[in-house]
Amino acid sequence: MAARRAVNPSRRLADSGSVPLVSSLHQKSRTSPLLSIGLVLVGAFLLIGYSYRGSGGFVSDKEAISRDGGGSCTSEVLQAIPILKKAYGDNMRKVLHVGPDTCKVVSKLLKEDNVEAWGVEPYDLEDVDTSCKTLVRKGFVRLADIKFPLPYRPKSFSLVIVSDALDYLSPKYLNKTLPDLARVSSDGLVIFAGYPGQQRAKVSELSKFGRPAKLRSSSWWIRYFVQIGLEENESVIKKFEPAASKRSYKGSCQIFHLSS
């Protein structure tokens, strides 16, 4: 740590008028030139790397994940819950959330008045806390592969909210999964999806999802919705947008409100 906090070399030269570091290395080079050269190279690399990192040009994998939340739209769902309640009203009485970190969404929904909530985690539950384990044990959250039909009867929920999960499915599986999500909903389907070109945390994606996200444009999604018989819910959109504006909500994910 002392090396990183050292005084600027140019300032030291101006103060002393000598070159103590270079002269010291020069003396050592008489007995161990390779060691001296190595020390100089390592010092230069640390200084360059430190300054470059400070300018935002060098980021570790962990920092990249923490900066954008792993590219997660689930965090967007958590922020949007009050707005969704405003837009859907009584239709948000029985909710199913499908996506990574669903325990967080279910926990927050259960704190809302007159809202029942369940969740489906499409991927492995890793490093979950006690609260999440309790939700799983009580059956509020379950682990299920969404490439296959969900274990629920038709219209089991008034509203189904999906975040991130569809970004990792190819059209082959979307053709099965999306209609099935619409099947278990009676009043609406809300999809949170990433924007094309959005920076994602590649390391966390490959370890958790097995493949990088396929981020699609809004025009692609809308065409696809029409092909499988889903249409945008204009009445809800007209309520959601002003409610979002009133709360100064500016999401970083695409949001689609659908009805079958």
Side-chain angles (χ1 to χ4, degrees), residues 9-251:
S10 62
R11 181 179 174 183
R12 182 176 293 177
L13 286 175
D15 293 341
S16 64
S18 62
V19 193
L21 178 60
V22 174
S23 62
S24 175
L25 290 176
H26 179 67
Q27 293 174 1
K28 291 184 178 181
S29 67
R30 295 174 183 175
T31 56
S32 181
L34 292 178
L35 177 61
S36 299
I37 294 172
L39 289 172
V40 172
L41 291 175
V42 170
F45 178 80
L46 289 174
L47 287 172
I48 294 172
Y50 184 73
S51 61
Y52 190 49
R53 181 175 180 268
S55 66
F58 186 88
V59 186
S60 68
D61 289 335
K62 289 184 178 180
E63 287 172 325
I65 293 172
S66 64
R67 281 188 181 183
D68 67 353
S72 170
C73 286
T74 298
S75 60
E76 295 286 318
V77 176
L78 293 171
Q79 296 177 47
I81 285 176
I83 305 170
L84 289 170
K85 283 197 69 177
K86 189 74 174 177
Y88 283 91
D90 292 340
N91 289 339
M92 201 169 165
R93 62 188 180 279
K94 192 173 182 180
V95 182
L96 173 69
H97 173 260
V98 179
D101 298 321
T102 190
C103 284
K104 295 179 181 178
V105 178
V106 172
S107 294
K108 186 163 185 176
L109 284 170
L110 289 174
K111 295 176 183 178
E112 299 288 333
D113 294 334
N114 303 318
V115 175
E116 299 177 32
W118 285 265
V120 170
E121 168 64 65
Y123 309 100
D124 291 337
L125 288 166
E126 300 175 351
D127 302 324
V128 297
D129 55 22
T130 303
S131 175
C132 187
K133 291 178 181 178
T134 300
L135 290 173
V136 173
R137 186 178 68 253
K138 292 183 176 181
F140 288 103
V141 171
R142 64 171 63 191
L143 186 67
D145 190 341
I146 60 174
K147 295 176 184 176
F148 302 96
L150 294 174
Y152 302 111
R153 295 179 179 179
K155 301 182 186 294
S156 294
F157 307 94
S158 58
L159 186 68
V160 174
I161 303 172
V162 189
S163 60
D164 291 316
L166 300 182
D167 287 336
Y168 296 91
L169 295 181
S170 66
K172 172 185 175 182
Y173 290 111
L174 276 176
N175 290 336
K176 300 177 181 178
T177 299
L178 205 46
D180 193 55
L181 292 170
R183 175 186 67 83
V184 300
S185 170
S186 63
D187 299 317
L189 176 63
V190 186
I191 295 175
F192 286 73
Y195 281 103
Q198 189 178 43
Q199 185 179 2
R200 311 292 284 210
K202 301 299 182 183
V203 174
S204 66
E205 283 185 358
L206 293 176
S207 63
K208 187 175 182 67
F209 311 122
R211 56 178 294 174
K214 177 68 174 178
L215 303 179
R216 304 164 173 107
S217 66
S218 59
S219 58
W220 188 95
W221 279 113
I222 291 171
R223 287 195 302 270
Y224 185 76
F225 297 148
V226 172
Q227 290 175 7
I228 63 174
L230 296 175
E231 59 183 21
E232 290 189 279
N233 192 328
E234 296 295 341
S235 63
V236 168
I237 293 174
K238 290 178 180 179
K239 296 177 182 178
F240 183 88
E241 291 180 348
S245 178
K246 186 175 181 180
R247 287 179 170 266
S248 300
Y249 170 81
K250 295 180 180 179

